[in-house]
Amino acid sequence: MNRPADNEAAHKASIRRENVAKILAAAESVFAEKGFKGASVGLIAERANVPKPNVYYYFGNKEELYRRVIEDVCSIWLHAADTFDVTDDPAKAIGRYVAAKMDLARERPNGSKLWAIEMASGAPFLQEYLSSTVKPWLISREAVLQKWIGEGRLKPMNTRYFLYMIWATTQNYADFEAQINVMNDGQPLSDEQFEEAKVSVIDMVLKSAGIAP
């Protein structure tokens, strides 16, 4: 039987999770639109529909919130390549990774745009994160690809450049959305068009690795 104190603690934890999620979602869009310098905590709070002091309560300051947003976006991208550990079939592992990255570009374009802004600015806030988190992840994914190359299941290639290509191609659908819309007669890609694009990108990536889809 739950005690009143336990119920109260669970209720407070639920409120905290809800507020944090709302603030992160609002911050992702505001930072993507305004950049770090142009974004204000007041605007983020307004868009999240929470009092401004709540933002400071949960995140301390604007820089901490900015780092959290970008690292959360990247963390989801990194986990998309868990397929390399789930299956030993290169076509499935790479195809599912590319599909996941494409879907994330579609579902969270602001996160991708924010990452692009940070990188284009020289990664002033993320140098440590890139070194301590992203690079070890990259090396671990390269090791799997190199294993498959050694087994003759992928063609010989520079695995790092292969992964760079996947990043650039998939994130293009978020970062250069405005350009794509203009090329698409002023309209965003429909769900059908996006699925066609996804299938095409997966096909091209697999063929570049020497795999027949």
Side-chain angles (χ1 to χ4, degrees):
M1 182 175 180
N2 290 335
R3 295 175 299 176
D6 293 334
N7 291 335
E8 179 66 18
H11 179 63
K12 288 182 178 179
S14 176
I15 292 175
R16 180 184 182 90
R17 286 193 299 271
E18 181 180 346
N19 285 339
V20 167
K22 289 195 298 185
I23 292 168
L24 287 173
E28 188 172 314
S29 65
V30 172
F31 282 131
E33 294 167 13
K34 308 290 186 181
F36 176 78
K37 291 183 179 179
S40 70
V41 172
L43 179 57
I44 292 169
E46 178 182 340
R47 196 166 295 184
N49 196 28
V50 300
K52 184 176 177 180
N54 279 24
V55 178
Y56 291 109
Y57 175 75
Y58 291 118
F59 295 98
N61 54 53
K62 186 170 79 167
E63 181 175 330
E64 183 180 337
L65 175 58
Y66 179 81
R67 291 178 189 274
R68 172 70 180 276
V69 169
I70 298 186
E71 290 177 9
D72 278 2
V73 170
C74 187
S75 177
I76 294 171
W77 288 347
L78 301 188
H79 281 299
D82 288 349
T83 55
F84 285 41
D85 303 316
V86 173
T87 176
D88 196 42
D89 181 334
K92 289 181 180 179
I94 296 170
R96 290 172 184 172
Y97 173 51
V98 173
K101 285 288 274 89
M102 289 282 288
D103 287 338
L104 288 167
R106 181 80 161 174
E107 294 162 9
R108 295 184 66 176
N110 285 325
S112 184
K113 292 171 185 175
L114 180 55
W115 181 269
I117 292 170
E118 173 70 11
M119 294 304 109
S121 301
F125 294 96
L126 290 184
Q127 289 291 330
E128 174 59 29
Y129 182 76
L130 290 172
S131 298
S132 64
T133 301
V134 179
K135 189 171 183 179
W137 171 91
L138 175 64
I139 292 170
S140 74
R141 301 304 84 185
E142 284 189 283
V144 178
L145 293 171
Q146 288 162 359
K147 169 180 171 290
W148 288 333
I149 291 171
E151 295 169 347
R153 301 164 72 189
L154 296 178
K155 74 177 187 181
M157 61 179 172
N158 186 305
T159 54
R160 185 158 300 187
Y161 298 155
F162 177 69
L163 289 168
Y164 290 168
M165 178 189 68
I166 292 174
W167 299 351
T169 303
T170 55
Q171 287 161 230
N172 173 76
Y173 287 85
D175 303 343
F176 290 86
E177 182 181 20
Q179 175 176 276
I180 290 173
N181 292 350
V182 172
M183 299 304 109
N184 195 46
D185 299 324
Q187 298 295 324
L189 294 180
S190 67
D191 290 343
E192 292 77 13
Q193 288 176 312
F194 186 79
E195 285 304 311
E196 181 183 3
K198 184 162 65 173
V199 170
S200 296
V201 170
I202 292 171
D203 180 78
M204 288 184 283
V205 168
L206 293 181
K207 284 180 178 176
S208 75
I211 302 172

